[in-house]
Amino acid sequence: MAQATFSVRMDETLKKQFDGLCQDFGMNATTAINVFARAVVRQRRIPFEISSPETDITREGAMQAFNALRAQAKENGVADMSLDDINKEIGLARGDKV
């Protein structure tokens, strides 16, 4: 298999910490990046949650989000689903046996 070079810039301190942890895991940084890339391709997603700190939630902002979700549910024809129907859909999406 042909090899390609992948260059990444990062903070020097972060790189030292990353290299040290990789060594503790019994691999080098190149192997760790390859493990990450394979997981992303296999799972077709980033294999961990990426989030940012929550900002202060206001009543107005929460109501806007709620109303947007209601409008989306109406557009998708699911506004009148019961709680049991919703839980069944969640189970199906997760691959639960229903």
Side-chain angles (χ1 to χ4, degrees), residues 35-94:
V35 167
F36 171 75
R38 288 177 196 276
V40 169
V41 169
R42 183 179 61 251
Q43 298 176 26
R44 300 188 55 77
R45 67 180 188 87
I46 302 296
F48 51 83
E49 182 179 341
I50 299 174
S51 62
S52 65
E54 288 265 342
T55 58
D56 290 337
I57 298 173
T58 64
R59 179 176 175 80
E60 180 181 318
M63 287 303 296
Q64 286 175 350
F66 176 74
N67 288 329
L69 287 172
R70 287 183 74 185
Q72 185 179 11
K74 188 173 184 178
E75 280 179 27
N76 294 329
V78 295
D80 60 348
M81 290 178 73
S82 70
L83 184 56
D84 288 337
D85 292 336
I86 293 168
N87 285 329
K88 186 180 285 186
E89 285 292 322
I90 292 169
L92 289 171
R94 290 181 177 164

